[in-house]
Amino acid sequence: WAGVAQEAAALSNDGAVLLEIKKSFSNAGNALYDWDGSADHDPCFWRGVTCDNVTLSVTGLNLTQLSLSGVISPSVGKLKSLQYLDLRENSIGGQVPDEIGDCAVLKYIDLSFNALVGDIPFSVSQLKQLETLILKSNQLTGPIPSTLSQLPNLKTLDLAQNQLTGEIPTLLYWSEVLQYLGLRDNSLSGTLSSDMCRLTGLWYFDVRSNNISGIIPDNIGNCTSFEILDLAYNRLNGEIPYNIGFLQVATLSLQGNQFSGKIPEVIGLMQALAVLDLSDNRLVGDIPPLLGNLTYTGKLYLHGNLLTGTIPPELGNMTKLSYLQLNDNQLTGEIPSELGSLSELFELNLANNQLYGRIPENISSCNALNYLNVHGNRLNGSIPPQLKKLDSLTYLNLSSNLFSGSIPDDFGHIVNLDTLDVSDNYISGSIPSSVGDLEHLLTLILRNNDISGKIPSEFGNLRSIDLLDLSQNKLLGNIPPELGQLQTLNTLFLQHNKLSGAIPVQLTNCFSLNILNVSYNNLSGEVPSGTIFSKFTPDSYIGNSQLCGTSTKTVCGYRSKQ
Amino acid sequence: SSLVRRSLSGPGSSPPQCTSKCGRCYPCRPVHVPIQPGLVKTAEYYPEAWRCKCGNKLFMP
């Protein structure tokens, strides 16, 4: 037995502690198989363990992404030399043990992306050397301990994506060392303190998606070290203070609050802005033309407010702009042709305003444009044929306007288009056969126009199509049998046209077809039978007096004689 | 005090200059860098900050 005793003695104290920690993980057998109590196994060589070169005590534990579950053993507090503890991206539950406060030299704790519950232990405040505390993405509850302000070396505090409640402790703001404060996606309440600008070393301030109310403190301009200020999706109200113009931030996210009043013109002087998001508030008045001065800004979101007036042509000076969303406001006037200068513009959303006039032809100079939405305005004139030059376009929505004229002949050149919606306009003429070249098209909506002529047989080439809505037009002729090639077609709306002939039996090959409406046409003959058609009700066929079959209300001729 | 100095210089900001911020690497230019707030990728955009870039290396401005 002497040999056994020798072995036990040979395993260091820290080694024995590690075995206790292993034991409290419920499934560590595989991941930590080399954590083994026999003497010839030096804990310093175990997976994820780092030791001090001289004292051989454990200084680091890195057990990320090992699918560990169970709990963190209170024994962790016995690792007196532990400086680095990284258990992120496991499934560890239970509470953060109070004993963690006994690891007096801990500098770094990352327990993010686990299933930890309960409060953040106050004992963490004993860790005077702690520089990084990341508890993001757990199920922690209770308040943020105000005693965290007693950590003189804390640089990174990331408690995002938990269920923390209560106010942000004001004492936390009295740190010249803190650089990163991540509190998004919790249930924090209270107001923003004017003390927040005492964080003279902070660059990242993120309280997005909480229940914070009240106003932005008037001295916000003193937060000159901030690079990112994210106050989005809270209950903040009042006006955006003038002093915001003194910030040096690259990202200003104020969306999803209840801010009122005008957009302060001074924001146009904040050229360090990369992202400006004021969307989904209650902002009124004009878009300040001075915003055109933001020549380094890539993303400008002003949608979902009560903005009036015209779109300032000066926005055409924002040459680095890739996202411009002005939709869901009350903007009037014409779309300024100066927007054609935005050569890096990727997304332009002007939907649901009161814009009128024509789409400027030189919008086709926005070579990078991928998404163009002008739905729900009073735009008129014809659809500019120049749009065909936008060969990066994947989404084009011109619906609910006053557009007239025909669909340009060579729209089929916009080969990457996945959505084309020109519904609820006054479009006339026939559908150009080139539309059938749009092989990536998922959604094609031409509903409620004055389109005449036949459905192009080339539509049989729309091999990705999911929704085809040609209803409420003046389409003539037969339903092309080529539509039977559309294997991905889910919804086919042809109602309220002047289509004639039989429903082609080839449509029974459209195996994905779930919704069909051919009502109110001049179709005749027997509705095809088969599993696809058995799911459609008589409503799909109503208003075609010569259509018969089991799915309709009319029995076909030879049967009615019986 | 700094408050007085700021009010003299007025509101507004500009991108970093990045002159001599990339050590000996040249050229050193300001770029927008997305800061991913979580591991989970969302459809939403990420906040962005300025960094100085030389080749494929980033430096604090």
Side-chain angles (χ1 to χ4, degrees):
Chain A
W1 57 268
V4 173
Q6 211 171 8
E7 266 183 26
L11 187 66
S12 66
N13 283 340
D14 280 0
V17 172
L18 290 180
L19 290 182
E20 289 169 26
I21 290 172
K22 176 183 176 181
K23 213 170 162 185
S24 61
F25 293 138
S26 54
N27 60 341
N30 277 332
L32 304 182
Y33 76 94
D34 65 348
W35 288 32
D36 166 333
S38 51
D40 55 336
H41 285 144
D42 181 349
C44 296
F45 291 101
W46 291 354
R47 181 176 200 169
V49 178
T50 313
C51 292
D52 184 273
N53 283 341
V54 180
T55 66
L56 301 182
S57 53
V58 172
T59 56
L61 276 183
N62 180 353
L63 304 177
T64 64
Q65 291 183 308
L66 295 178
S67 306
L68 299 171
S69 52
V71 300
I72 302 170
S73 167
S75 299
V76 73
K78 298 181 201 162
L79 296 174
K80 298 295 179 201
S81 304
L82 194 66
Q83 296 174 23
Y84 183 93
L85 176 62
D86 190 350
L87 304 178
R88 74 175 190 276
E89 294 173 66
N90 284 291
S91 308
I92 302 168
Q95 302 200 13
V96 180
D98 280 336
E99 288 78 359
I100 205 163
D102 299 337
C103 304
V105 294
L106 257 177
K107 281 185 176 169
Y108 185 99
I109 301 176
D110 187 348
L111 308 178
S112 60
F113 300 96
N114 278 292
L116 296 166
V117 297
D119 289 6
I120 300 169
F122 277 87
S123 62
V124 171
S125 316
Q126 299 162 27
L127 303 171
K128 300 301 176 202
Q129 319 241 8
L130 197 65
E131 293 175 5
T132 302
L133 178 59
I134 306 177
L135 303 176
K136 174 165 59 185
S137 215
N138 280 288
Q139 294 148 37
L140 298 169
T141 51
I144 300 172
S146 62
T147 50
L148 288 180
S149 60
Q150 296 163 14
L151 298 173
N153 294 302
L154 193 65
K155 290 183 180 138
T156 298
L157 178 60
D158 194 347
L159 309 176
Q161 295 161 334
N162 280 290
Q163 294 146 32
L164 301 171
T165 52
E167 300 194 12
I168 302 167
T170 308
L171 283 175
L172 213 56
Y173 295 139
W174 289 67
S175 168
E176 294 176 0
V177 179
L178 196 64
Q179 296 174 2
Y180 185 107
L181 181 61
L183 302 176
R184 70 161 59 192
D185 296 316
N186 277 291
S187 302
L188 299 167
S189 54
T191 57
L192 292 170
S193 164
S194 56
D195 284 351
M196 63 192 272
C197 295
R198 297 196 179 271
L199 292 163
T200 50
L202 195 89
W203 67 271
Y204 185 90
F205 188 98
D206 181 3
V207 296
R208 175 187 287 233
S209 296
N210 279 286
N211 299 323
I212 296 169
S213 54
I215 59 166
I216 296 181
D218 202 39
N219 67 344
I220 188 74
N222 293 350
C223 295
T224 47
S225 65
F226 288 16
E227 291 182 54
I228 289 167
L229 178 60
D230 195 335
L231 308 178
Y233 305 109
N234 278 288
R235 297 175 187 172
L236 296 165
N237 57 34
E239 297 197 11
I240 301 171
Y242 170 85
N243 282 340
I244 208 144
F246 288 90
L247 290 175
Q248 313 283 309
V249 289
T251 297
L252 181 60
S253 290
L254 304 181
Q255 70 271 27
N257 282 289
Q258 295 152 25
F259 290 117
S260 55
K262 292 183 164 193
I263 299 173
E265 211 171 352
V266 69
I267 289 182
L269 301 177
M270 300 170 71
Q271 283 204 310
L273 279 174
V275 179
L276 174 60
D277 196 339
L278 306 179
S279 64
D280 295 324
N281 278 292
R282 297 172 186 166
L283 299 169
V284 298
D286 294 353
I287 299 173
L290 196 59
L291 290 191
N293 192 39
L294 298 174
T295 49
Y296 302 96
T297 302
K299 295 175 175 135
L300 176 60
Y301 303 104
L302 303 178
H303 57 276
N305 280 291
L306 305 163
L307 299 171
T308 51
T310 58
I311 300 173
E314 287 83 355
L315 296 191
N317 299 331
M318 302 179 71
T319 49
K320 288 284 189 293
L321 209 55
S322 53
Y323 290 82
L324 178 58
Q325 294 189 189
L326 306 178
N327 50 295
D328 297 284
N329 279 293
Q330 295 160 19
L331 300 169
T332 58
E334 302 197 20
I335 300 173
S337 63
E338 285 80 357
L339 296 187
S341 318
L342 301 175
S343 60
E344 294 184 24
L345 196 62
F346 184 82
E347 189 170 317
L348 176 61
N349 194 340
L350 305 176
N352 297 318
N353 280 290
Q354 292 150 29
L355 302 169
Y356 52 78
R358 291 162 180 264
I359 293 182
E361 286 175 6
N362 65 351
I363 210 85
S364 63
S365 309
C366 301
N367 290 318
L369 204 60
N370 190 282
Y371 177 106
L372 175 60
N373 190 350
V374 296
H375 164 89
N377 283 285
R378 296 174 194 162
L379 298 167
N380 60 22
S382 51
I383 300 172
Q386 290 83 358
L387 288 183
K388 72 167 188 233
K389 290 189 208 159
L390 295 171
D391 50 13
S392 302
L393 212 55
T394 65
Y395 181 99
L396 177 58
N397 191 341
L398 307 174
S399 61
S400 298
N401 278 288
L402 309 171
F403 290 117
S404 56
S406 51
I407 299 171
D409 267 343
D410 36 14
F411 246 39
H413 291 200
I414 318 176
V415 287
N416 293 310
L417 219 50
D418 65 38
T419 301
L420 175 59
D421 188 348
V422 301
S423 60
D424 302 313
N425 279 292
Y426 298 101
I427 304 292
S428 56
S430 54
I431 305 170
S433 57
S434 78
V435 173
D437 297 340
L438 298 170
E439 57 177 13
H440 300 296
L441 212 54
L442 302 170
T443 301
L444 175 60
I445 307 179
L446 308 181
R447 184 188 61 236
N448 194 20
N449 281 289
D450 297 320
I451 299 169
S452 54
K454 293 179 144 194
I455 299 173
S457 58
E458 287 81 357
F459 273 19
N461 301 329
L462 297 172
R463 60 182 183 199
S464 310
I465 196 84
D466 176 75
L467 166 62
L468 182 57
D469 186 350
L470 310 178
S471 64
Q472 299 178 59
N473 279 293
K474 295 171 178 166
L475 292 167
L476 293 165
N478 297 334
I479 299 172
E482 287 82 357
L483 295 189
Q485 299 164 28
L486 303 177
Q487 296 294 300
T488 58
L489 185 65
N490 184 286
T491 305
L492 178 60
F493 287 143
L494 301 175
Q495 68 269 29
H496 292 284
N497 278 291
K498 296 172 178 172
L499 298 168
S500 55
I503 298 174
V505 70
Q506 287 86 346
L507 284 189
T508 57
N509 296 329
C510 297
F511 295 115
S512 307
L513 195 61
N514 272 315
I515 303 170
L516 173 75
N517 195 340
V518 296
S519 63
Y520 301 101
N521 279 288
N522 299 320
L523 297 168
S524 56
E526 190 171 2
V527 171
S529 52
T531 49
I532 302 287
F533 278 77
S534 64
K535 53 186 152 186
F536 308 131
T537 63
D539 288 348
S540 300
Y541 309 104
I542 199 167
N544 292 280
S545 57
Q546 299 184 67
L547 209 51
C548 65
T550 46
S551 314
T552 69
K553 287 175 175 165
T554 314
V555 180
C556 286
Y558 69 94
R559 282 191 184 170
S560 66
K561 285 174 190 167
Q562 288 179 343
Chain B
S1 79
S2 64
L3 234 167
V4 171
R5 183 175 55 78
R6 259 199 303 281
S7 65
L8 281 174
S9 65
S13 60
S14 37
Q17 292 290 316
C18 285
T19 326
S20 72
K21 294 289 180 181
C22 301
R24 290 180 185 173
C25 191
Y26 182 86
C28 184
R29 297 208 169 94
V31 290
H32 295 164
V33 177
I35 309 291
Q36 198 179 327
L39 270 189
V40 186
K41 300 210 167 172
T42 63
E44 269 189 289
Y45 64 89
Y46 298 136
E48 292 177 23
W50 287 98
R51 295 290 179 265
C52 297
K53 188 174 184 180
C54 185
N56 53 11
K57 284 190 176 166
L58 294 174
F59 300 85
M60 290 302 285

